[in-house]
Structure formats: structure tokens, C-alpha cells
Amino acid sequence: MHRLLRLTGLTAFLWLVGCDAVLSQSRTVCVTGYNEYERGIHEYWLDDENKAGCHGNPPGRDVDQVFGGGGKFSCGCNVAPGKQVSLFWQFSRTRNEYDAKIPPEQHTTLVTIPHPESSTSRYLRVYFMKDGSTPLQWVDDMGAPELIPSQVPEMSKGDV
């Protein structure tokens, strides 16, 4: 009986280690961007330095929306959970900014690819929040709840 318990414990340990290894392996997924800004994002690239294929261009949010985007996918994106990679994004320019040759507003930050919520997770959401954060969220299906929006107070006309 004692030997059986030891084997069962060893089996459970190996199963847990195996699950963690499966969840940590590089995988090919679909990404979609969620934009909390009113201004659209012309393009974003997640881990472009390794040619991961993760990109998109979520529109700005409408007045009655929490996020813009979330409806278009870029599939064939290769990510490795736990790996730190760069996230680059560039805001869209207005016609006046373009004509005046004003360079686009660009940002780059480091993000860590989170571990999937399960072994069947196949979608990775990339958020662009007004508080400057860029969280990533794995979901098994697109019906999963979105992240809570940032708590940045809206600027009044007197602040401009």
C-alpha cells in the first residue's frame, strides 16, 4: 500500500510538471488588440524582433465603448509563455498631422507573455490602456470577459 501511494504521488508530480511544461511551450495562436484610447492604433507588433507574426491595428474606441478593436485577428502568432518580449505600437495620425509631416506617436515597452489559462487557450488579447499599461490576456474563447478598463480620470476641457 505504501509503495502504491508513493507511485501515485510520483505520478501526480510528473503529471503536474508535464502540465506546466505543456503550458510553457511555444505555441501558435491568434492575437487581437483592445484599444482604450479614442485614437486608433495604426499598428502594433508583439515580439517582432523574433518575427513572431503577432500584429494588428485596433481602432480607437467610440464614446459608448470601453475598448475599440477586439474583432480582428492575426493568426499564426508564435509566442512562448514566460518569455519577455518587446511590444511596439504606433498611433494613427490625423490628415493634418500627416500633411504637416508630424511624426507618428510611437511607444515600445517590454511585456512578459503570460501563461495560458489552460492547455486549450488559443487567443491572446493585447490591451492598450489609457494608464499606459499593456496587459496581455489568454482566453480559451472570445466570449471570455475582457479585462477591467484602467481607472484614468477623463480630462475636462479646462485641463487642456
Side-chain angles (χ1 to χ4, degrees):
M1 179 72 167
H2 183 35
R3 184 174 180 184
L4 180 60
L5 287 175
R6 219 176 346 167
L7 283 176
T8 304
L10 178 62
T11 303
F13 172 77
L14 291 174
W15 183 79
L16 288 172
V17 169
C19 284
D20 186 50
V22 167
L23 293 177
S24 297
Q25 289 179 348
S26 180
R27 56 175 58 199
T28 302
V29 299
C30 297
V31 294
T32 187
Y34 286 77
N35 183 4
E36 194 177 23
Y37 295 91
E38 290 81 17
R39 185 175 219 177
I41 294 176
H42 174 68
E43 65 180 343
Y44 73 85
W45 288 90
L46 179 66
D47 194 20
D48 188 44
E49 60 273 8
N50 292 308
K51 306 298 181 222
C54 310
H55 58 88
N57 61 340
R61 69 177 182 87
D62 289 333
V63 174
D64 61 339
Q65 293 178 311
V66 176
F67 295 106
K72 296 179 183 174
F73 298 98
S74 175
C75 296
C77 169
N78 190 4
V79 295
K83 182 178 179 185
Q84 191 175 52
V85 298
S86 68
L87 173 61
F88 164 84
W89 71 99
Q90 174 178 305
F91 284 102
S92 299
R93 292 186 286 176
T94 65
R95 181 64 187 197
N96 288 341
E97 290 170 334
Y98 179 81
D99 289 344
K101 298 185 182 353
I102 296 172
E105 183 181 341
Q106 298 179 338
H107 300 272
T108 302
T109 189
L110 290 176
V111 295
T112 301
I113 304 295
H115 289 278
E117 70 176 25
S118 76
S119 61
T120 59
S121 294
R122 60 184 197 167
Y123 300 105
L124 184 61
R125 294 175 173 170
V126 181
Y127 288 87
F128 300 91
M129 306 294 239
K130 280 189 168 184
D131 66 3
S133 65
T134 53
L136 306 176
Q137 177 193 32
W138 281 98
V139 294
D140 288 344
D141 67 73
M142 290 308 294
E146 297 168 354
L147 293 181
I148 297 171
S150 63
Q151 301 299 314
V152 175
E154 293 291 327
M155 288 178 40
S156 69
K157 293 188 190 278
D159 292 337
V160 179

